[in-house]
Amino acid sequence: ERAKDEFTALVSHELRTPLTAVKGALGILQAPAVSLPEARRGELMEMATRNTDRLLHLVNDLLDIKRIEAGVLDLALQDLELEAVLAEALTVNAPYAQPMGVTYTLEGMLPGLRVVGDPLRLGQVLANLLSNGAKFSRRGAEVRLGAEGLEGEVRVWVHNLGEPIPEAFHGRIFQKFAQAETGTTRDVKGTGLGLAISKALVEAMGGRIGFSSGPEGTTFWFTLPRAGEEPPHP
């Protein structure tokens, strides 16, 4: 209950901050007596757009958690060419990492790997893991994304060179509300829902998820069934 109370406080904070920024930007743009240079107008529009995206992401996370808890999460499983999916994920998520001075690279791929998954939900899992990698990496670092074929399944991994995850937190890392326990003043902002959602999505697609963390960085990984083969037993 304490964790939920802190989570509620965090969500309230996460909602108020971007809403205040959007309202302030739109107020300046709409003020009839204010004449703004075009560059300044562009900055305000970009600020409003960025914070609107932040709000949308938060709302989508909350809706996904409710769908998962209600058991009404719909999946459209397909035969997917994994390399194309991973390359698209890097392209889509690169703008997130750029302000942090972090770059994404694709490596460790075997041509022809095909998996069974929902392309939309798989993209969501990759976005969560890539954004985590960027947030916890030092400036100028690379976050590496790759995959390898295993018996009956494919293992996808995301590796960053940030500080190791505290051992005391390992058992709670995929739980809801886990990040919220440190309150709203932590250095890395987030709702603590991304990894919980990723775990539920990967398992719904017939895979597993886990991580390893130490002095050489942190690797999050997940598996998906190979196309044309039975999914592995849990």
Side-chain angles (χ1 to χ4, degrees):
E1 289 301 319
R2 179 175 62 83
K4 288 181 180 179
D5 288 344
E6 291 178 351
F7 173 77
T8 301
L10 171 64
V11 170
S12 298
H13 171 81
E14 292 289 328
L15 285 170
R16 279 197 305 267
T17 301
L19 276 173
T20 300
V22 171
K23 186 175 186 298
L26 293 178
I28 295 172
L29 288 169
Q30 291 177 336
V34 177
S35 178
L36 294 173
E38 192 61 31
R40 179 56 177 159
R41 291 181 63 86
E43 290 174 2
L44 291 169
M45 290 297 295
E46 194 276 334
M47 179 191 300
T49 300
R50 184 175 66 251
N51 281 280
T52 301
D53 289 341
R54 181 176 169 187
L55 284 168
L56 182 60
H57 180 75
L58 174 60
V59 171
N60 284 338
D61 275 357
L62 294 172
L63 290 174
D64 279 340
I65 283 292
K66 298 308 292 183
R67 292 189 190 104
I68 290 166
E69 290 177 342
V72 295
L73 185 67
D74 292 327
L75 293 176
L77 298 179
Q78 302 174 26
D79 179 332
L80 302 171
E81 182 185 358
L82 185 59
E83 188 168 15
V85 173
L86 299 189
E88 181 181 6
L90 292 191
T91 300
V92 170
N93 291 283
Y96 178 88
Q98 286 172 354
M100 304 175 193
V102 174
T103 57
Y104 294 140
T105 60
L106 181 62
E107 60 181 61
M109 284 297 304
L110 295 175
L113 284 179
R114 303 190 72 85
V115 298
V116 176
D118 180 318
L120 180 63
R121 296 304 188 176
L122 178 53
Q124 187 175 351
V125 172
L126 290 168
N128 282 332
L129 298 185
L130 287 169
S131 65
N132 261 19
K135 284 189 292 187
F136 291 98
S137 290
R138 63 179 182 272
R139 191 167 189 85
E142 285 186 345
V143 173
R144 296 183 287 122
L145 171 65
E148 58 184 335
L150 304 175
E151 184 178 354
E153 61 185 3
V154 172
R155 183 176 183 266
V156 180
W157 48 266
V158 176
H159 179 74
N160 74 73
L161 297 174
E163 293 294 321
I165 299 170
E167 189 171 347
F169 189 65
H170 285 195
R172 299 182 291 123
I173 198 163
F174 291 109
Q175 294 178 5
K176 293 177 297 181
F177 314 123
Q179 276 193 316
E181 292 181 5
T182 58
T184 60
T185 59
R186 61 183 180 279
D187 292 334
V188 180
K189 294 182 181 293
T191 61
L193 294 176
L195 290 177
I197 291 171
S198 295
K199 183 175 187 293
L201 294 178
V202 167
E203 292 177 350
M205 290 186 286
R208 300 170 290 116
I209 192 169
F211 73 99
S212 60
S213 187
E216 297 183 355
T218 296
T219 300
F220 279 91
W221 58 265
F222 63 92
T223 65
L224 290 173
R226 280 205 188 204
E229 300 187 34
E230 291 294 323
H233 294 292

